[in-house]
Amino acid sequence: GLIFNLSWNNQEILRSPTADPVVTLTFSLMVIVLAHFAGIANKGFGGYLKGYVKPFALMLPVNIIEELANFLTLGLRIFGNIFAGELLLKLVAGVAFSHGALTIIPGFLLELLWQGFSVFIGSIQAYVFVTLTTVYISRKVSE
């Protein structure tokens, strides 16, 4: 996430790129494509496709659904967390300016506290994304 959001006439000009599902799902798609490419490069095309029907052929639909679920959860996890953090920052800013000078200072302190927490959550999400990326790739290249 970004520390500052820039808006003009209720239109966001500058916001976190990962608060957009298109960006996070594109990252997720790149990871899934990279994992498939690594699996094919390691096992060959035929050996890679055989992995989808092990231990028996009825596992093919389950494995295809798993691939779709991996793609969606990897991208939407980051989007949801960053978007929710930005939404809460907007709500806190709205409260800060709701009653003039009486709420500006507590709202500003709450905004700083939440921004620090948002950076912490963003760091955890980056770690989870990288960890899941390595897990997905390792599952494709190992037996």
Side-chain angles (χ1 to χ4, degrees):
L2 294 177
I3 294 176
F4 299 106
N5 288 346
L6 184 60
S7 297
W8 183 262
N9 290 333
N10 292 329
Q11 294 290 331
E12 291 183 336
I13 297 171
L14 179 64
R15 69 179 212 168
S16 297
T18 52
D20 186 4
V22 173
V23 173
T24 58
L25 288 173
T26 302
F27 289 159
S28 179
L29 181 65
M30 290 189 312
V31 166
I32 298 300
V33 167
L34 177 66
H36 286 297
F37 180 76
I40 292 171
N42 188 36
K43 297 178 183 177
F45 191 71
Y48 178 72
L49 289 179
K50 285 180 187 176
Y52 277 97
V53 294
K54 285 185 181 177
F56 49 89
L58 291 176
M59 290 300 291
L60 180 65
V62 173
N63 288 328
I64 291 172
I65 291 171
E66 178 189 14
E67 290 296 324
L68 180 63
N70 288 343
F71 163 68
L72 288 175
T73 57
L74 189 62
L76 293 179
R77 178 182 294 114
I78 294 176
F79 162 69
N81 281 293
I82 301 301
F83 181 74
E86 285 195 355
L87 186 62
L88 284 172
L89 282 172
K90 287 179 189 176
L91 290 173
V92 169
V95 168
F97 294 109
S98 64
H99 295 294
L102 182 65
T103 58
I104 287 180
I105 293 175
F108 180 72
L109 294 176
L110 187 60
E111 185 92 16
L112 284 178
L113 180 68
W114 185 258
Q115 186 63 46
F117 184 68
S118 182
V119 168
F120 175 69
I121 294 296
S123 300
I124 290 175
Q125 289 305 311
Y127 176 75
V128 167
F129 188 87
V130 170
T131 303
L132 286 175
T133 299
T134 58
V135 166
Y136 293 160
I137 292 173
S138 67
R139 286 181 54 203
K140 297 294 182 189
V141 298
S142 65
E143 290 297 328

